[in-house]
């Protein structure tokens, strides 16, 4: 289906991003495609939730982001729930989630317009809670200092029906992770963590992270968690500096819910979704993260070579004893795979 409406999320603090977005606008003008800016804010003006942004932009079929991974996540939270495709243009430092460079903008738009882009789907999370999330007045200003206004607390999911004991469904999407973090430095977060309704452990920690496979290379990785292939379906639970012997990550099944209950003697707990403060939990509150019934749709110009990107972005070094062997950076086959490997063909690029 040809591209008819494009949404732009631009990191206005980076001239390269602004210039690349201008290229996209010029392409839209030349091809009769409607173009709208998304998630634009000013100091002192409240930001809008993802659904409000999508409605205001006229429900674009494609959201293109210009910045780093943080800017990409801004666009992804809007695109995922609205069923749009998202494509990231990298002008950041890491660019693990972004797909193309600034000189590829026109080519990418051409591919999208001709329906020639590869669309990859990834699992995302959504939430239920004991009550709607709230942020105490003034707290968001201090916690978000220098990063623009905070996003609003998630609203209750439209059309939700109350069922006793199941909590309130929140209209929110986590592409990378949900983080439950102590609010005061001198008060640990005491959290009971349940997987599939069973108590795993009660933690006294700086934070606990519930991540998607996409988010396994973000905060969870920095806290010692494993790397998961982004197309996998699983939920990653990682504690941060727990005051206990068991400090390991647990990987739960995609259909298992991870619930976090704030214990009576805990300090208050800040809830961040994809790095954005979205509310505060008090002792006695609980929240559960689980696989959303929809998926994030990413546009690519070619299939993702995830492990090659992992090596490059994290600058993985070879062991000194092995480096002398000059291992080739890519292992490719010159002939099609045998029958017993044919179902894995996408993992076995063929030369020629």
């Amino acid at each position: 289906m040809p591209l008819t409406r494009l949404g732009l999320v631009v990191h206005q603090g980076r001239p390269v991003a602004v210039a690349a977005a201008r290229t996209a606008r010029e392409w839209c003008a030349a091809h009769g495609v409607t173009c709208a800016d998304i998630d634009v804010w000013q100091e002192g003006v409240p930001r809008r939730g993802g659904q409000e942004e999508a409605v205001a932009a006229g429900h674009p079929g494609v959201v293109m982001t210009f910045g780093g991974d943080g800017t990409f996540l801004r666009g992804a939270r809007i695109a995922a729930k609205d069923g749009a495709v998202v494509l990231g243009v990298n002008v950041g430092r890491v660019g693990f989630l972004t797909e193309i460079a600034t000189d590829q903008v026109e080519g990418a738009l051409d591919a999208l317009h001709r329906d020639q882009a590869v669309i990859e789907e990834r699992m995302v999370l959504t939430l239920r809670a004991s009550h709607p999330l709230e942020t105490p007045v003034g707290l968001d200003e201090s916690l978000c200092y220098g990063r623009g206004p905070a996003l609003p607390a998630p609203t209750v999911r439209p059309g939700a029906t109350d069922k006793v004991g199941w909590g309130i469904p929140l209209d929110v999407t986590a592409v990378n992770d949900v983080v439950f973090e102590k609010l005061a430095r001198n008060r640990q977060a005491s959290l009971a963590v349940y997987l599939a309704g069973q108590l795993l452990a009660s933690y006294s920690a700086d934070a606990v992270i519930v991540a998607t496979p996409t988010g396994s290379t973000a905060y969870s990785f920095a806290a010692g968690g494993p790397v998961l292939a982004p197309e996998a379906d699983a939920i990653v639970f990682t504690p941060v500096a727990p005051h206990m012997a068991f400090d390991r990550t647990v990987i739960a099944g995609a259909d298992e819910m991870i619930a976090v209950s704030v214990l009576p003697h805990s300090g208050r707990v800040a809830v961040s979704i994809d790095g954005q403060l979205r509310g505060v939990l008090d002792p006695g509150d609980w929240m559960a993260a689980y696989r959303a019934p929809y998926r994030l749709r990413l546009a690519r110009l070619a299939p993702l070579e995830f492990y090659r990107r992992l090596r490059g972005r994290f600058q993985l070094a070879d062991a000194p004893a092995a480096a002398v062997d000059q291992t080739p950076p890519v292992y490719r086959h010159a002939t099609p795979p045998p029958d017993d490997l044919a179902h894995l063909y996408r993992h076995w690029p063929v030369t020629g």
Side-chain angles (χ1 to χ4, degrees):
M1 182 180 296
L3 178 61
T4 59
R5 183 176 290 270
L6 179 69
L8 304 181
V9 181
V10 186
H11 192 309
Q12 297 292 338
R14 294 184 177 172
V16 176
V18 174
R22 188 181 306 118
T23 299
R25 291 189 180 92
E26 292 170 353
W27 183 96
C28 287
H31 290 79
V33 174
T34 303
C35 185
D37 286 294
I38 298 178
D39 201 20
V40 179
W41 70 79
Q42 297 176 345
E43 290 292 341
V45 178
R47 292 175 69 181
R48 295 182 290 206
Q51 281 292 294
E52 292 175 308
E53 288 286 356
V55 170
H59 298 285
V62 175
V63 174
M64 182 174 277
T65 70
F66 299 82
D69 285 349
T71 307
F72 176 87
L73 290 169
R74 285 169 52 196
R77 75 179 176 89
I78 298 163
K81 189 66 187 296
D82 209 43
V85 170
V86 62
L87 175 67
V89 180
N90 182 37
V91 298
R93 292 182 294 274
V94 179
F96 212 96
L97 298 173
T98 48
E99 170 67 8
I100 64 171
T102 54
D103 60 357
Q104 296 175 291
V105 170
E106 290 179 311
L109 288 169
D110 286 337
L112 287 163
H113 199 48
R114 296 170 186 156
D115 206 18
Q116 295 175 340
V118 176
I119 305 300
E120 173 187 311
E121 295 191 349
R122 294 193 184 181
M123 179 189 127
V124 294
L125 300 173
T126 191
L127 299 170
R128 278 182 173 264
S130 53
H131 61 78
L133 272 179
E134 295 179 352
T135 302
V137 176
L139 185 61
D140 56 342
E141 295 182 5
S142 59
L143 294 181
C144 299
Y145 178 75
R147 304 185 67 87
L151 284 167
T155 57
V156 177
R157 197 176 307 153
T161 56
D162 293 335
K163 287 200 173 181
V164 175
W166 289 94
I168 296 170
L170 300 179
D171 190 23
V172 69
T173 300
V175 176
N176 263 0
D177 50 37
V178 182
V179 178
F180 303 87
E181 188 172 11
K182 67 180 184 181
L183 196 56
R185 192 181 187 284
N186 63 343
R187 291 292 303 276
Q188 290 296 102
S190 295
L191 305 166
V193 177
Y194 293 82
L195 276 70
Q198 303 160 56
L199 179 64
L200 174 67
S202 292
Y203 291 84
S204 178
D206 285 357
V208 299
I209 306 165
V210 181
T212 65
T214 298
S216 69
T217 55
Y219 189 11
S220 177
F221 176 81
V227 172
L228 273 66
E231 66 267 25
D233 275 10
I235 303 178
V236 184
F237 167 75
T238 303
V240 180
H243 290 220
M244 57 193 297
F246 184 74
D247 61 353
R248 303 302 178 89
T249 291
V250 174
I251 300 175
D255 293 329
E256 295 178 331
M257 180 182 290
I258 297 184
V260 175
S261 176
V262 184
L263 298 175
H265 293 92
S266 173
R268 302 178 87 185
V269 173
V271 179
S272 297
I273 301 171
D274 290 340
Q276 298 281 328
L277 174 70
R278 302 304 297 272
V280 172
L281 299 179
D282 291 311
D285 294 340
W286 63 265
M287 179 170 286
Y290 56 98
R291 180 175 65 171
Y294 50 88
R295 300 174 77 84
L296 176 66
R297 303 173 67 221
L298 284 76
R300 298 200 178 283
L301 302 188
L304 172 65
E305 293 184 327
F306 173 69
Y307 301 105
R308 189 175 184 180
R309 180 174 294 191
L310 181 72
R311 177 181 174 87
R313 294 295 194 270
F314 287 152
Q315 300 182 350
L316 301 185
D318 300 317
V324 69
D325 290 320
Q326 299 291 309
T327 306
V330 179
Y331 185 77
R332 297 190 184 277
H333 299 266
T335 60
D339 290 344
D340 63 321
L341 294 177
H343 64 295
L344 301 177
Y345 181 75
R346 65 191 179 92
H347 292 301
W348 299 85
V350 177
T351 58

